[in-house]
Amino acid sequence: MEIGLIGAGFIGACLARKLKDAGHTVRIANSRGPETLADLAKEVGATAVSVVDVAKQSDVLIISVPMKAIQQFPANLFDGARRDLIVVDTGNYYSMRDGRIEPLESGMPETMWVAEQLGRPVVKAFNNISFDSLRNQGRPKGSPERFALPVAGDNQRAKDVVIGLIEEIGFDGVDAGGLDASWRQQPGSAAYCTNLGASRLKEVMQGLTADYRAKLGERRDMALKKMLELPNGIDIGQGFKLPFAKDSVPLNRSLAGLPD
Ligand SMILES: NC(=O)c1ccc[n+]([C@@H]2O[C@H](COP(=O)([O-])OP(=O)(O)OC[C@H]3O[C@@H](n4cnc5c(N)ncnc54)[C@H](OP(=O)(O)O)[C@@H]3O)[C@@H](O)[C@H]2O)c1
């Protein structure tokens, strides 16, 4: 497949590498121009292009940027794109990084908001796995250690394609319902970065109640605070560290009341 990526940071670069290794043609773009992605493109075997060109030849466009960047995309992002282009959002909302986005503060599912901003159907996937789990914890089908990623969206064909990509890079894909249900995989949820096997993931997501949803933002902010207190991680500037899965997954599981 022809896969375009907007965003080539922790998640985007990792997806580019894995999807290229799985045999796809991969194009990557960021806000600063293709020349700034030349080294990564060479290393991964992808092609660096500009944001306005990345959707053009793509079957699937994966958007992996801080949520606030969605509003900065050029208006002609989808010029020349296929009508049935599958758009995927890996994003999560953190007001500390993204600034306050009022509809999200009020509980609108994040990717519904993204779809509204883009004026296109969007699938939510790859948002609930940390960069180093994505990088290191893919396992062959049937392996007892293989865990699952939820895929939410309103178009079944699009979800099936994304589930197929997830399966190819070492994880089980779970249909998590429509975008209206995608809050179940957002930060603050028991499904967020807890690396659960497929049947456990389905059970946990289905068990999340309306009361749980009402406290999702509060749970997200509390989990973020604890996450930032972890002593180890990759320095991402401004005094923050991106924690490693060996520390963050047990923390998320414990906050969600899940056994280790
Ligand atoms: N890190 C994780 O473990 C993790 C896990 C799951 C989901 N996520 C979510 O996935 C998204 C990406 O996370 P990340 O950690 O990969 O972020 P990141 O490392 O900061 O990378 C963000 C990428 O987006 C690009 N970008 C920023 N603004 C842009 C714009 N206006 N137009 C085009 N490209 C733009 C950046 O490049 P330029 O600045 O050069 O444009 C960079 O390549 C976030 O929403 C995050 O919450 C992260």
Side-chain angles (χ1 to χ4, degrees):
M1 254 187 287
E2 303 275 336
I3 299 182
L5 275 145
I6 303 182
F10 285 100
I11 295 295
C14 186
L15 284 174
R17 189 171 283 116
K18 294 213 165 251
L19 292 167
K20 174 67 190 172
D21 289 351
H24 300 286
T25 301
V26 177
R27 277 181 290 276
I28 51 177
N30 65 7
S31 70
R32 289 174 300 135
E35 58 287 354
T36 65
L37 291 171
D39 290 348
L40 177 69
K42 190 168 173 204
E43 185 200 322
V44 167
T47 306
V49 298
S50 74
V51 167
V52 288
D53 288 328
V54 70
K56 282 194 175 84
Q57 293 157 3
S58 296
D59 301 304
V60 177
L61 177 69
I62 302 177
I63 299 178
S64 191
V65 300
M67 201 132 281
K68 65 179 173 193
I70 299 284
Q71 292 169 303
Q72 297 156 8
F73 286 169
N76 57 351
L77 184 67
F78 294 112
D79 282 6
R82 292 170 53 145
R83 273 188 60 208
D84 60 353
L85 169 71
I86 295 170
V87 181
V88 183
D89 168 36
T90 79
N92 296 303
Y93 169 61
Y94 288 106
S95 61
M96 195 174 79
R97 177 194 63 193
D98 297 316
R100 274 179 76 86
I101 300 177
E102 289 310 327
L104 304 184
E105 291 291 335
S106 308
M108 182 179 191
E110 294 160 352
T111 300
M112 265 192 164
W113 178 82
V114 171
E116 197 176 273
Q117 301 304 306
L118 299 179
R120 288 241 163 191
V122 180
V123 169
K124 189 173 191 76
F126 302 111
N127 76 295
N128 77 325
I129 179 168
S130 76
F131 74 98
D132 64 334
S133 289
L134 185 61
R135 188 182 293 163
N136 302 318
Q137 289 186 263
R139 294 289 182 274
K141 186 103 184 144
S143 157
E145 291 176 333
R146 177 152 152 143
F147 61 87
L149 303 183
V151 178
D154 298 328
N155 179 299
Q156 194 59 48
R157 183 189 78 89
K159 279 197 287 192
D160 290 344
V161 168
V162 176
I163 287 171
L165 294 175
I166 289 173
E167 301 269 344
E168 286 176 18
I169 64 170
F171 304 91
D172 288 326
V174 162
D175 187 332
L179 267 197
D180 58 346
S182 61
W183 61 270
R184 293 174 188 273
Q185 68 196 67
Q186 287 183 188
S189 155
Y192 186 71
C193 296
T194 44
N195 295 8
L196 304 174
S199 56
R200 187 78 180 109
L201 177 68
K202 284 183 209 166
E203 190 179 274
V204 163
M205 289 181 81
Q206 279 159 13
L208 301 177
T209 62
D211 284 349
Y212 194 102
R213 182 179 185 179
K215 296 210 170 80
L216 197 67
E218 214 176 288
R219 298 179 67 97
R220 172 199 63 214
D221 293 347
M222 194 258 290
L224 178 63
K225 185 167 175 289
K226 300 246 179 229
M227 208 66 78
L228 294 174
E229 286 165 8
L230 290 171
N232 300 311
I234 297 184
D235 193 346
I236 51 171
Q238 298 181 318
F240 298 123
K241 286 195 177 72
L242 197 55
F244 298 115
K246 70 177 177 47
D247 302 315
S248 60
V249 171
L251 173 64
N252 284 322
R253 285 187 182 173
S254 124
L255 292 172
L258 298 169
D260 269 356

